[in-house]
Amino acid sequence: MHPAVSSCPDARPKSLGVLRKRADFLAAARARRQGTPSMMVQARRRCEGDGGVGIRVGFTCSKKVGNAVARNRAKRRLRAAAHEILPESGLSGWDYVLIGRKDVTAERPFEALKGDLLHALAKLHPVP
């Protein structure tokens, strides 16, 4: 093992589960949502029998975003932002769905994209 890499389990980033079932996406669509300039974020707290703890995330882009190349690029960028932000700022036991926006998601600077996600999470989970 490289000396700079810690073997401590807390040093590893939390992994994100992936939403794959349509029912999970529909449940998130009925829950809280927060729009930002580059994406729409939907979030819902899972029930006891809905998969336990951890953070799950799903990504989607409609055909309004563009052709398959544009949709895939937007989803890749959303995925990269989510993997950087959600392990630290997301809440365990919650599902998040990130929805890309036409022309903006693929072109917005990556730091601004991450800032939009942080802003949405702050609105969805206000600190008391």
Side-chain angles (χ1 to χ4, degrees):
M1 180 178 280
H2 191 276
V5 177
S6 173
S7 62
C8 177
D10 293 334
R12 288 180 288 176
K14 298 178 203 170
S15 64
L16 299 175
V18 179
L19 294 177
R20 298 194 189 276
K21 295 181 182 176
R22 185 171 190 268
D24 292 331
F25 281 87
L26 293 175
R30 290 188 301 268
R32 298 178 183 178
R33 68 183 57 134
Q34 179 64 47
T36 66
S38 61
M39 71 186 83
M40 171 71 72
V41 179
Q42 298 172 337
R44 80 170 185 113
R45 181 190 306 256
R46 288 192 305 273
C47 299
E48 292 292 324
D50 280 350
V53 297
I55 299 170
R56 296 190 312 180
V57 63
F59 309 92
T60 186
C61 291
S62 73
K63 287 190 176 182
K64 291 179 185 178
V65 173
N67 62 11
V69 173
R71 291 192 307 271
N72 287 334
R73 181 167 193 258
K75 285 190 283 188
R76 276 194 313 271
R77 298 188 82 228
L78 289 174
R79 200 173 295 121
H83 283 286
E84 287 191 28
I85 301 299
L86 285 179
E88 303 301 322
S89 300
L91 298 180
S92 183
W94 283 71
D95 289 344
Y96 299 95
V97 175
L98 279 59
I99 304 170
R101 292 193 187 268
K102 180 180 181 181
D103 298 328
V104 181
T105 304
E107 302 302 324
R108 192 157 170 87
F110 190 65
E111 292 301 318
L113 195 71
K114 293 191 310 186
D116 288 346
L117 181 54
L118 281 170
H119 174 75
L121 291 174
K123 291 285 192 174
L124 290 166
H125 305 299
V127 178

